[in-house]
Amino acid sequence: MVKTVGTPIDLRKIRVEDLFWKNEMELVRKEVIPYQWNALNDRVEGAEPSFAVRNFKIAADITAKRKALGAGYKEKIWPTDVFSLKPEDPEHPEARFYGFLFQDSDFSKWIEAVGYSLTQHPDPELEKTADGIIDVVCAAQQPNGYLDTYYIINDMSKIFTNLKDHHELYCFGHLTEGAVAYYKATGKDKLLKAAERFADFIDSKLGPEEGKLKGYPGHEIAEMALVRLYEVTGKDRYLKLSSYFIDERGKKPYYFDAEHPDEAKRHGDGERYHYYQAHRPVREQDEAVGHAVRAAYLYSGMADVARLTGDESLKAACERLWDNIVNKKMYITGGIGGTSHGEAFSFEYDLPNDLAYSETCAAIGLVFFAGRMLRMDVDSRYADVMERALYNTVLSGMALDGKSFFYVNPLEVVPEACHKDERKAHVKPVRQKWFGCACCPPNIARTVSSVASYAYSENEDTLFMHLYVGGHVEKSYETADILWNIRQDIMGDGTVKILCEKAEAKGKGEKPQTIAVRIPSWAEGYTVSCGSFRHENKKGYEYITGLFKEGDEITVTFDRKVQILRASSKVSEDHGKVAVSYGPFVYCLEEKDNGKDLHLLRVTADPSKARLKELDIAGNTVTAVILPGKREKAKEESLYSLYSESEYEDAELTFIPYYTWANRGENEMRVWVNR
Amino acid sequence: MVKTVGTPIDLRKIRVEDLFWKNEMELVRKEVIPYQWNALNDRVEGAEPSFAVRNFKIAADITAKRKALGAGYKEKIWPTDVFSLKPEDPEHPEARFYGFLFQDSDFSKWIEAVGYSLTQHPDPELEKTADGIIDVVCAAQQPNGYLDTYYIINDMSKIFTNLKDHHELYCFGHLTEGAVAYYKATGKDKLLKAAERFADFIDSKLGPEEGKLKGYPGHEIAEMALVRLYEVTGKDRYLKLSSYFIDERGKKPYYFDAEHPDEAKRHGDGERYHYYQAHRPVREQDEAVGHAVRAAYLYSGMADVARLTGDESLKAACERLWDNIVNKKMYITGGIGGTSHGEAFSFEYDLPNDLAYSETCAAIGLVFFAGRMLRMDVDSRYADVMERALYNTVLSGMALDGKSFFYVNPLEVVPEACHKDERKAHVKPVRQKWFGCACCPPNIARTVSSVASYAYSENEDTLFMHLYVGGHVEKSYETADILWNIRQDIMGDGTVKILCEKAEAKGKGEKPQTIAVRIPSWAEGYTVSCGSFRHENKKGYEYITGLFKEGDEITVTFDRKVQILRASSKVSEDHGKVAVSYGPFVYCLEEKDNGKDLHLLRVTADPSKARLKELDIAGNTVTAVILPGKREKAKEESLYSLYSESEYEDAELTFIPYYTWANRGENEMRVWVNR
């Protein structure tokens, strides 16, 4: 029987005061959230409009009319068979949906980020803005609870007729996640109630019971969202619906076949549902396939449901899929999705560096998945991957000034190829300001602003520290309320210092308290200094146990060196190459520091030759790694010639953290360097 | 002033009796030509129908009715805005064009191959079949000379309204090339006259004169074809029209803009005409861009016109484009076209091995271009490239049994990737039987069956031998008619033996005769044994001169070793890798001989370690090259781990000629091997 071993700590119990993450969170608060608000309102010059607020306003107006006129109000306003609409010569400008059909989720991700941000930085002005737009969103909700502006505006008679490709359940999921976050931050439940009503409506239309549609989401997220709703409301039906979505998925005959009989006839069998992870029941899946974001969201929901229902076989499926990803389908940067075709996982060990998709949102999905596995099993292997994805691909998704974003995170870039080779049309050599399909920037915002909820989890007698995010953490143990003051300097002196700042005894007995600190895979050794407190290592965590009182201190010091890494020989792309890492950061070469033609550089595989250097990148001081190497001398030669040994000159190679690349203009970059 | 220094010898003056090429030609004669005839008639089980003969028959019927009814016959039968039609639920099955709109060219390439084949192997039965279908084709010709079944069947009022994307002038070009070949082989001029009438009609509609359209072909070939027609008929207007097509191309305002004003508005400027090499006037082009077949056909036509008009600046453009291809854009196999997007040249030095397009037809185009450069300038650098393309990519296009074909010729294949990675959807791990768009198989047929015309050219006092194709060659010099008996064994004892089998003195004076033999770039040395005859090397050819008489013998012996080659360091794809060649053949590793995971193999760069071995491949004995190397031992390791030196075991690597790969079932292959 699967057990919950840890749940995230309420963000209001944490005050992040971290060397590294506070700055990222402030970027989100000061840059991304306001920018995004303007984007939602189509006020960003030069960026594609979002239409999100506009759509909600139009929908609210329609809903009001519909309520006033009852059946007299026409149901169908606009054809619903168009995926992305733009305001070109509209016949009904007042009542037309614009943008991608999942545009509502722009708002939902924003409100979620706002919620998290408010837990750390109260901001009445921002809260007022949020309440205002929540009023609009709620006004758009239909009397029956339905709340997706695409169908409200266009044609309510068509709802739930294209679960495969339209994103109603996706929009529902994001709405719910935003609503839960905002409720938990502010205690205001208006949006949460709207999400509940929408959930109840969905529950009345989809499910195993007779008369209901046997459908499930084409783009997963509702599974996770329903679990959040269950956890905040305690209502079983949400967990049941999530569980239903998970187990119905991929059953034969395929629901998507029934929904799209013409397509089904053309295609033959369910192979094409790989993209949706709906090619077979999830418990029978053992390879991560299809659209990487969808996949990671599904697996996250599966892990949630496995934990809450104690379902061993579902947990086993999660473990198989986890292993498949991290052993065969993940970039060293924690990115997933090797191919732009379907923004999808490629086949096993196919991890091209220059053609990578490695979508920011997919890495975020992997963080979600890891975080949820940790709730069932506090094992550092999950947290190691979570950290890898977060510190590298997720952060790479945002510029150091918080003003531009990567959707795709390649591991090797030659700008000329991005510009001239259509196979690399998806690879941008510099971050973009905003996308029409703006999934990644707000997704980064909600993830970074809630990083502490990935860093910490708890059960009744233990506080788990998965990532090193300094700050004050209130932990209520059975026998004491403790305020931990945690300071990390993992990239400085390599320490995590934990001070018991307050300890108020409570309850009965002498049951000791535990704080469990993850020992990262990148530590080549570590020491725990905790006086007389007991400590032991279990599954990569040091459990430090005792009856703590004010002033007690623990210091964990990681032996942290520059590391030279290799990929499995099965990854032909990385053959003969090495990568450099230091602490949680994967490093890369940039042309800016190393000149053009990075493929001509070779680096030593001896990490003892490394030295560190402070480097300024766009006003930020980062720790660069300097390694000796060689540069092949260019020679005058024809395209093909008799083999002759190349000549090399010594070169000092400057590696910078991967997440800081492309902050100094367009230039070459590579993570995997010739040895 | 550019001068013609050599023209191809009439194929009827050559009797090919070659160790290597005779077999290839016999494959074409016995397998490809009959197979293709069945394909043209839609009689190949399991292959996509060609519809070519069917379309001609329908068109002939329509033409007959049109002639009988005059203006009373309806002009428009079917909409013409569909690129590729299939016989699905046709409303007018009797009068509908099927297949790609360039389907007529299937016939034309076939008749061209038939013509060449008949010069070497008279075959009354085949000739009868050919005459029969020629009657049908000619019956389809409109009274005004127009002859393209797509428009004849569908809508004559729309002819020449889409020169950019419809292929009327392309079909005209192939028809003409086929007609010239058949005429030169058989002396029968029915099809030639039809081609002339079609050319005259085109000439009356397109050209610089007032009232004519200022258009030019979207898919080039008419330029070369008109030159052939000019050379066989002596009519200046064909050369003029070709010249016009070449110089009008890419002029502003763009003809294609005027033809497609809506597209032009959407796109803005002429950049998109790169695909058609129509982005700027050809004399201003210095980078080979766009669809590689189109490009090579255009450049071939340019070389023809430069030679015949003595145009230095056009020749200079040809030289620039040639240099750009061979120095920056050609695979070591002589393949061109680095990207599947537009079947096109990629940017300079971008030569991915696994994603290569390297279309068989594009390599054929490069052979054409090289052959035409040789007519202006007998320089072995042209013939070296011609040989490289022909012996490697062109031959790779056809299976050793002549029964299946490659369209795309990758330099590295992992079958799993072809099956699972949509980026490699164009790369097939085994040859296909036939394609709906069947450009390559008949193109191989016409090229292989006329290989002797690339091997030899002549001017009044010299016979040039560009490629080593043994046989009897009649050469009429000013002072003698000589029958040369040429035997090559370049892959055996490395010799070319030239015997003067007959010499009949004629004319006046004692002007000596010359035979010029190319010294290939792969010869590391050579000797000429020619008794007292004078010999000297000019631009890579040994010119052997004297007054030859019966029994005189010349032997040229090439010092031929296994060679280990490298690519320019600018080709990042090939960095750290080497390729193996022997004689004109580029070699490759196949899984069949070397096991799976070819990326784990490393080969010595020391060619002196090579030994040769006879190997049977699908019933053919080929010379394999064995080189010592190492195989990295597979180890149990996680996807990423701390660097440790790999372990290797000694391995004997077996290389086979590239053109023989994929004749033993589906398996891995690679040309560029880790050093």
Side-chain angles (χ1 to χ4, degrees):
Chain A
M1 179 79 174
V2 181
K3 268 182 24 192
T4 299
V5 296
T7 51
I9 292 201
D10 186 330
L11 282 176
R12 285 171 306 181
K13 307 258 180 179
I14 306 179
R15 200 166 73 241
V16 175
E17 297 135 331
D18 187 72
L19 274 177
F20 182 78
W21 283 102
K22 189 68 191 173
N23 179 45
E24 297 289 334
M25 289 164 65
E26 284 291 283
L27 270 185
V28 167
R29 186 177 74 78
K30 291 183 184 163
E31 294 293 338
V32 187
I33 290 176
Y35 183 88
Q36 237 174 287
W37 175 244
N38 285 330
L40 289 179
N41 286 279
D42 312 335
R43 291 194 297 244
V44 177
E45 194 99 8
E48 289 185 56
S50 155
F51 302 115
V53 168
R54 189 183 187 284
N55 288 336
F56 277 115
K57 285 183 177 163
I58 292 169
D61 191 47
I62 289 172
T63 301
K65 285 183 189 150
R66 208 167 264 158
K67 281 178 184 167
L69 297 175
Y73 193 76
K74 61 178 174 171
E75 280 290 290
K76 181 172 176 140
I77 293 176
W78 206 264
T80 53
D81 53 354
V82 181
F83 186 67
S84 170
L85 299 168
K86 292 262 170 88
E88 283 161 13
D89 194 22
E91 287 173 40
H92 304 276
E94 77 295 352
R96 184 169 176 176
F97 177 94
Y98 289 136
F100 286 97
L101 39 70
F102 45 81
Q103 216 72 46
D104 286 5
S105 63
D106 279 12
F107 154 75
S108 304
K109 290 180 204 168
W110 179 80
I111 200 75
E112 188 178 344
V114 167
Y116 299 138
S117 179
L118 291 176
T119 67
Q120 300 299 310
H121 189 96
D123 181 341
E125 197 59 36
L126 178 61
E127 203 169 321
K128 208 175 122 195
T129 302
D131 289 340
I133 181 66
I134 286 173
D135 287 343
V136 174
V137 169
C138 291
Q141 188 163 38
Q142 296 288 293
N144 62 11
Y146 186 84
L147 182 40
D148 182 296
T149 68
Y150 178 75
Y151 283 101
I152 292 174
I153 295 175
N154 289 330
D155 188 353
M156 277 297 293
S157 74
K158 290 277 170 58
I159 64 166
F160 301 150
T161 54
N162 189 352
L163 295 181
K164 178 159 90 46
D165 298 312
H166 288 190
H167 285 58
E168 292 157 285
L169 298 177
Y170 172 82
C171 287
F172 157 75
H174 270 299
L175 184 79
T176 300
E177 301 220 318
V180 170
Y182 195 72
Y183 165 71
K184 290 176 87 170
T186 63
K188 293 176 183 169
D189 68 358
K190 182 167 184 174
L191 192 61
L192 182 71
K193 290 293 174 202
E196 271 198 73
R197 279 194 300 275
F198 195 4
D200 292 341
F201 178 72
I202 293 167
D203 190 40
S204 75
K205 297 292 182 187
L206 280 79
E209 296 83 5
E210 213 179 300
K212 293 187 184 177
L213 294 172
K214 298 295 166 287
Y216 41 83
H219 192 313
E220 301 93 325
I221 186 176
E223 299 81 356
M224 275 192 282
L226 283 163
V227 166
R228 286 208 196 191
L229 200 57
Y230 160 73
E231 291 188 312
V232 80
T233 64
K235 292 177 184 164
D236 274 347
R237 60 177 177 273
Y238 303 136
L239 177 59
K240 260 182 64 190
L241 185 58
S242 174
S243 193
Y244 163 77
F245 281 156
I246 284 168
D247 275 322
E248 191 62 22
R249 191 167 207 89
K251 277 193 188 160
K252 288 187 180 179
Y254 293 113
Y255 181 78
F256 293 159
D257 273 359
E259 199 180 57
H260 302 269
D262 291 346
E263 261 183 45
K265 240 179 279 167
R266 276 204 304 282
H267 289 291
D269 88 333
E271 278 309 293
R272 70 195 176 284
Y273 298 138
H274 274 99
Y275 173 80
Y276 305 90
Q277 301 78 43
H279 51 302
R280 66 176 67 130
V282 299
R283 288 160 203 269
E284 294 169 24
Q285 296 186 24
D286 46 21
E287 183 178 351
V289 295
H291 188 265
V293 176
R294 289 171 205 241
Y297 284 13
L298 168 65
Y299 308 154
S300 300
M302 285 163 61
D304 276 336
V305 169
R307 175 174 58 86
L308 291 168
T309 60
D311 189 324
E312 284 289 357
S313 91
L314 193 56
K315 186 185 179 208
C318 291
E319 284 169 344
R320 281 198 307 277
L321 291 162
W322 174 270
D323 287 346
N324 182 255
I325 292 174
V326 304
N327 295 328
K328 296 177 180 174
K329 295 200 171 189
M330 181 183 72
Y331 286 100
I332 194 169
T333 51
I336 51 176
T339 175
S340 58
H341 280 269
E343 308 181 323
F345 286 105
S346 190
F347 60 96
E348 293 178 349
Y349 302 107
D350 186 43
L351 294 161
N353 295 310
D354 56 345
L355 290 166
Y357 205 73
S358 184
E359 184 181 337
T360 307
C361 289
I364 289 172
L366 187 58
V367 170
F368 294 166
F369 188 19
R372 280 157 177 81
M373 293 308 282
L374 283 169
R375 292 179 204 166
M376 290 189 279
D377 201 355
V378 177
D379 186 325
S380 64
R381 70 200 178 99
Y382 297 119
D384 283 334
V385 168
M386 182 163 78
E387 184 183 72
R388 188 183 285 281
L390 196 55
Y391 280 73
N392 298 291
T393 303
V394 177
L395 287 185
S396 157
M398 180 167 71
L400 292 176
D401 63 3
K403 289 180 177 165
S404 57
F405 306 89
F406 275 137
Y407 194 108
V408 162
N409 296 278
L411 281 79
E412 183 176 316
V413 165
V414 175
E416 185 181 19
C418 299
H419 298 309
K420 295 185 178 170
D421 184 352
E422 289 178 66
R423 290 169 296 205
K424 291 173 188 155
H426 62 290
V427 179
K428 307 295 174 204
V430 285
R431 292 175 183 81
Q432 314 284 295
K433 280 196 80 93
W434 195 256
F435 318 103
C437 169
C439 55
C440 298
N443 225 354
I444 296 171
R446 68 181 186 131
T447 306
V448 166
S449 54
S450 62
V451 67
S453 70
Y454 302 99
Y456 295 99
S457 70
E458 63 176 335
N459 63 24
E460 54 195 17
D461 52 19
T462 307
L463 174 69
F464 299 102
M465 187 180 191
H466 307 295
L467 305 172
Y468 315 104
V469 177
H472 281 82
V473 182
E474 296 169 34
K475 166 63 189 159
S476 177
Y477 294 93
E478 211 178 319
T479 52
D481 286 336
I482 292 182
L483 178 65
W484 294 109
N485 181 355
I486 299 171
R487 296 283 170 264
Q488 66 86 8
D489 191 15
I490 54 169
M491 294 301 286
D493 59 11
T495 62
V496 176
K497 291 198 165 128
I498 300 162
L499 171 70
C500 177
E501 201 163 285
K502 267 193 219 158
E504 287 179 23
K506 68 173 190 184
K508 287 180 184 164
E510 289 270 298
K511 193 165 182 196
Q513 300 101 29
T514 299
I515 183 162
V517 179
R518 167 178 151 255
I519 307 304
S521 62
W522 46 262
E524 297 189 4
Y526 67 97
T527 55
V528 180
S529 152
C530 57
S532 59
F533 295 111
R534 202 167 77 232
H535 67 100
E536 64 170 329
N537 187 311
K538 284 188 288 194
K539 290 186 177 176
Y541 284 72
E542 275 290 328
Y543 287 72
I544 302 142
T545 303
L547 288 162
F548 292 98
K549 38 179 212 315
E550 218 173 290
D552 282 338
E553 250 192 275
I554 302 162
T555 301
V556 185
T557 308
F558 302 128
D559 185 4
R560 176 214 44 194
K561 297 199 181 84
V562 170
Q563 297 187 320
I564 311 280
L565 303 165
R566 57 172 278 162
S568 159
S569 61
K570 296 198 175 90
V571 184
S572 63
E573 275 281 329
D574 299 336
H575 198 254
K577 298 175 187 163
V578 293
V580 173
S581 73
Y582 182 53
F585 297 104
V586 173
Y587 276 65
C588 67
L589 292 178
E590 251 195 332
E591 177 185 340
K592 201 86 187 170
D593 307 302
N594 301 284
K596 267 199 173 304
D597 294 326
L598 298 178
H599 71 277
L600 297 182
L601 294 173
R602 290 163 170 263
V603 69
T604 175
D606 177 1
S608 74
K609 302 268 170 62
R611 61 185 180 80
L612 304 177
K613 183 182 161 187
E614 300 291 274
L615 198 71
D616 178 86
I617 296 186
N620 296 262
T621 302
V622 304
T623 304
V625 171
I626 314 291
L627 276 162
K630 290 186 183 303
R631 174 179 276 278
E632 186 174 326
K633 285 189 191 169
K635 52 176 171 180
E636 280 304 311
E637 58 183 347
S638 52
L639 191 52
Y640 306 109
S641 54
L642 279 184
Y643 177 75
S644 61
E645 186 57 62
S646 300
E647 280 178 56
Y648 295 90
E649 56 198 7
D650 288 339
E652 203 176 60
L653 275 50
T654 302
F655 291 80
I656 59 169
Y658 174 73
Y659 81 95
T660 67
W661 90 275
N663 277 287
R664 296 174 290 177
E666 190 175 297
N667 74 159
E668 280 187 43
M669 183 275 293
R670 63 164 55 197
V671 169
W672 289 99
V673 178
N674 293 321
R675 183 165 43 78
Chain B
M1 180 80 173
V2 181
K3 266 181 27 193
T4 299
V5 296
T7 50
I9 291 202
D10 187 330
L11 282 176
R12 285 172 304 182
K13 307 259 181 176
I14 306 178
R15 199 165 74 241
V16 175
E17 299 134 330
D18 187 71
L19 274 177
F20 182 78
W21 283 101
K22 188 68 192 174
N23 179 46
E24 297 289 335
M25 290 164 65
E26 283 291 283
L27 271 184
V28 167
R29 185 177 74 78
K30 290 181 184 164
E31 294 293 336
V32 187
I33 289 175
Y35 182 89
Q36 236 175 289
W37 175 244
N38 286 329
L40 290 179
N41 286 280
D42 311 334
R43 291 192 298 243
V44 177
E45 194 99 9
E48 289 184 55
S50 154
F51 302 114
V53 168
R54 189 183 187 283
N55 289 335
F56 277 116
K57 284 183 177 163
I58 292 169
D61 191 46
I62 288 172
T63 300
K65 285 183 188 147
R66 206 167 266 159
K67 281 178 183 166
L69 296 175
Y73 193 75
K74 62 178 172 171
E75 280 291 289
K76 181 174 175 138
I77 292 177
W78 207 265
T80 53
D81 54 354
V82 182
F83 186 67
S84 169
L85 298 169
K86 293 260 169 89
E88 284 160 14
D89 194 23
E91 286 174 39
H92 304 276
E94 77 294 352
R96 184 167 176 177
F97 178 94
Y98 289 137
F100 287 96
L101 39 70
F102 45 80
Q103 216 72 48
D104 286 5
S105 63
D106 279 12
F107 154 75
S108 303
K109 291 181 203 169
W110 179 80
I111 200 76
E112 187 177 345
V114 167
Y116 299 138
S117 179
L118 291 174
T119 67
Q120 300 300 308
H121 189 98
D123 181 339
E125 197 59 36
L126 177 62
E127 202 169 322
K128 210 176 119 193
T129 302
D131 290 340
I133 182 65
I134 285 171
D135 287 344
V136 174
V137 169
C138 293
Q141 187 163 40
Q142 296 289 292
N144 62 13
Y146 185 84
L147 183 41
D148 181 298
T149 68
Y150 178 74
Y151 283 101
I152 292 174
I153 294 176
N154 290 329
D155 187 354
M156 278 296 293
S157 75
K158 291 278 170 58
I159 64 167
F160 302 150
T161 55
N162 188 353
L163 294 182
K164 177 159 91 48
D165 298 312
H166 288 192
H167 284 58
E168 292 158 286
L169 299 177
Y170 171 83
C171 286
F172 157 74
H174 271 299
L175 184 80
T176 300
E177 301 221 318
V180 170
Y182 195 73
Y183 165 72
K184 288 176 88 171
T186 62
K188 293 176 183 170
D189 67 357
K190 182 168 185 175
L191 191 61
L192 182 71
K193 291 290 175 203
E196 271 197 74
R197 278 195 300 274
F198 194 3
D200 292 340
F201 178 71
I202 293 168
D203 190 39
S204 75
K205 297 290 181 190
L206 280 78
E209 296 82 5
E210 212 179 302
K212 293 187 184 177
L213 293 172
K214 298 295 165 288
Y216 41 83
H219 192 314
E220 301 93 325
I221 186 176
E223 298 81 356
M224 275 191 284
L226 283 163
V227 167
R228 286 208 198 192
L229 200 58
Y230 160 73
E231 291 187 312
V232 79
T233 65
K235 292 176 183 167
D236 274 346
R237 61 177 176 272
Y238 303 136
L239 178 59
K240 258 183 63 190
L241 184 59
S242 174
S243 192
Y244 163 77
F245 281 156
I246 284 169
D247 275 322
E248 190 63 22
R249 191 167 208 88
K251 277 193 188 161
K252 287 187 182 180
Y254 292 115
Y255 181 77
F256 292 160
D257 273 359
E259 200 181 56
H260 302 268
D262 291 347
E263 261 182 45
K265 242 180 277 169
R266 275 204 304 282
H267 290 291
D269 89 333
E271 278 308 291
R272 69 195 178 286
Y273 299 137
H274 274 99
Y275 174 80
Y276 305 90
Q277 301 79 43
H279 51 303
R280 67 175 66 130
V282 299
R283 287 161 204 267
E284 294 169 23
Q285 295 187 24
D286 46 20
E287 182 178 353
V289 295
H291 188 265
V293 176
R294 289 171 206 241
Y297 284 13
L298 168 65
Y299 308 153
S300 301
M302 285 163 62
D304 276 337
V305 170
R307 175 175 57 88
L308 291 168
T309 61
D311 189 324
E312 284 288 357
S313 91
L314 192 57
K315 186 185 178 209
C318 291
E319 284 169 344
R320 280 197 310 276
L321 291 162
W322 175 271
D323 287 346
N324 182 256
I325 292 174
V326 304
N327 295 329
K328 298 178 179 172
K329 297 201 171 190
M330 179 183 73
Y331 287 99
I332 194 169
T333 50
I336 51 176
T339 176
S340 58
H341 280 268
E343 310 181 322
F345 287 105
S346 189
F347 60 96
E348 292 178 350
Y349 301 107
D350 185 43
L351 294 161
N353 295 310
D354 56 345
L355 290 165
Y357 205 73
S358 184
E359 185 181 335
T360 307
C361 289
I364 289 171
L366 186 58
V367 170
F368 294 167
F369 187 19
R372 281 157 177 81
M373 293 307 283
L374 282 169
R375 292 177 205 166
M376 289 189 278
D377 200 355
V378 177
D379 186 324
S380 63
R381 70 198 178 100
Y382 297 118
D384 283 333
V385 167
M386 181 162 79
E387 183 184 73
R388 186 182 287 281
L390 196 56
Y391 279 71
N392 298 289
T393 303
V394 177
L395 286 185
S396 158
M398 179 166 71
L400 292 175
D401 64 3
K403 288 180 178 166
S404 57
F405 305 89
F406 276 136
Y407 194 107
V408 162
N409 296 280
L411 280 80
E412 183 177 316
V413 165
V414 175
E416 185 180 19
C418 300
H419 297 309
K420 295 185 178 172
D421 184 352
E422 289 177 69
R423 290 168 295 206
K424 291 172 187 153
H426 62 291
V427 179
K428 306 295 174 203
V430 285
R431 292 175 183 81
Q432 314 283 296
K433 281 194 79 94
W434 193 258
F435 319 102
C437 170
C439 55
C440 298
N443 225 354
I444 296 170
R446 69 181 184 130
T447 306
V448 166
S449 54
S450 61
V451 68
S453 71
Y454 302 99
Y456 295 99
S457 70
E458 63 178 334
N459 63 23
E460 55 195 16
D461 52 20
T462 308
L463 173 70
F464 299 101
M465 186 179 192
H466 307 294
L467 305 172
Y468 315 104
V469 176
H472 281 82
V473 182
E474 297 170 33
K475 167 64 189 158
S476 175
Y477 295 91
E478 210 178 321
T479 52
D481 286 336
I482 292 182
L483 177 66
W484 294 109
N485 180 356
I486 298 171
R487 295 283 170 262
Q488 66 86 7
D489 191 15
I490 55 168
M491 295 301 286
D493 60 10
T495 62
V496 176
K497 291 196 166 130
I498 300 161
L499 171 71
C500 178
E501 201 163 284
K502 266 194 221 159
E504 287 179 23
K506 67 173 191 184
K508 287 182 185 161
E510 289 268 299
K511 191 166 183 194
Q513 300 101 29
T514 299
I515 182 162
V517 179
R518 167 178 149 255
I519 308 304
S521 62
W522 46 261
E524 297 189 4
Y526 68 98
T527 55
V528 180
S529 152
C530 58
S532 60
F533 294 112
R534 202 167 78 234
H535 67 100
E536 63 170 330
N537 188 311
K538 283 188 287 193
K539 290 187 178 177
Y541 284 72
E542 274 290 328
Y543 287 71
I544 302 143
T545 304
L547 287 161
F548 292 97
K549 42 180 207 315
E550 218 173 289
D552 282 339
E553 250 192 275
I554 302 162
T555 301
V556 185
T557 308
F558 302 129
D559 184 4
R560 175 214 45 195
K561 296 200 183 84
V562 169
Q563 296 188 321
I564 311 280
L565 303 166
R566 57 171 279 164
S568 159
S569 61
K570 297 198 175 89
V571 184
S572 63
E573 274 281 327
D574 299 337
H575 197 253
K577 298 174 187 163
V578 292
V580 173
S581 72
Y582 182 53
F585 296 105
V586 172
Y587 276 65
C588 67
L589 292 179
E590 250 194 333
E591 177 184 341
K592 201 88 186 168
D593 307 303
N594 301 285
K596 267 198 172 305
D597 294 326
L598 298 178
H599 70 277
L600 297 182
L601 293 172
R602 290 163 172 264
V603 68
T604 176
D606 177 1
S608 73
K609 302 269 171 58
R611 62 187 178 79
L612 304 176
K613 183 183 158 185
E614 300 290 274
L615 198 71
D616 177 87
I617 295 186
N620 296 262
T621 302
V622 304
T623 303
V625 171
I626 314 290
L627 276 160
K630 290 186 184 301
R631 173 179 275 277
E632 186 174 326
K633 284 189 190 169
K635 51 176 169 181
E636 280 305 310
E637 58 182 346
S638 51
L639 191 52
Y640 306 109
S641 54
L642 280 183
Y643 177 75
S644 61
E645 186 57 62
S646 300
E647 281 178 56
Y648 295 89
E649 56 198 6
D650 288 339
E652 204 175 62
L653 274 51
T654 302
F655 291 80
I656 60 169
Y658 174 73
Y659 82 95
T660 67
W661 90 275
N663 278 287
R664 295 173 293 177
E666 189 176 297
N667 74 160
E668 280 186 43
M669 182 276 292
R670 66 163 54 196
V671 170
W672 288 98
V673 178
N674 293 320
R675 185 166 41 80

